[in-house]
Amino acid sequence: MNVEDLHDDHLMWADLVFVSAMSVQKESVKEVIARCRAAGVRIVAGGPLFTTEYETFGDVDHLVLNEAEITLPRFLEDYQNGDAGRFYTTDQWQTYGRHPSRPGG
């Protein structure tokens, strides 16, 4: 929504809607969630708002919390296998650094 407004035809096209938000976007994200619910589209949420206040969002289907680089692949695999759960979380931190197969990093 930073690039383009959310339109109903976007929701009708989607199998899943991925939402990420910070606490200052809480009211806006509630509106997006309500629109997704009304359209019957499953919601996957993550980011700082959902990681700290996940219990506030009982109408979100799947919560991909903490480090998405770690938790999102788990969710996607489960979703592909028809077995997606509600919570995906980790206590690990994503590390970034030099890639061993690339010269110079």
Side-chain angles (χ1 to χ4, degrees):
M1 292 174 47
N2 290 337
V3 176
E4 182 180 343
D5 290 338
L6 179 63
H7 299 284
D8 290 341
D9 59 323
H10 295 146
L11 298 176
M12 298 318 225
W13 169 87
D15 294 322
L16 296 168
V17 170
F18 286 76
V19 179
S20 179
M22 298 178 290
S23 60
V24 297
Q25 297 165 316
K26 188 173 185 175
E27 293 309 311
S28 173
V29 85
K30 285 182 178 182
E31 293 173 20
V32 170
I33 290 169
R35 288 181 65 187
C36 291
R37 277 278 161 246
V41 181
R42 297 187 71 74
I43 305 161
V44 181
L49 174 62
F50 297 100
T51 296
T52 59
E53 296 186 42
Y54 61 88
E55 67 280 346
T56 304
F57 298 97
D59 45 0
V60 169
D61 299 293
H62 309 283
L63 292 152
V64 179
L65 307 176
N66 305 104
E67 298 288 317
E69 294 86 351
I70 297 170
T71 56
L72 184 59
R74 293 182 201 158
F75 165 75
L76 292 173
E77 182 176 345
D78 287 354
Y79 182 78
Q80 183 176 10
N81 293 329
D83 193 32
R86 175 149 164 76
F87 288 98
Y88 292 82
T89 187
T90 183
D91 59 0
Q92 298 174 337
W93 292 97
Q94 177 63 34
T95 58
Y96 300 96
R98 297 177 65 144
H99 192 281
S101 66
R102 294 187 201 143

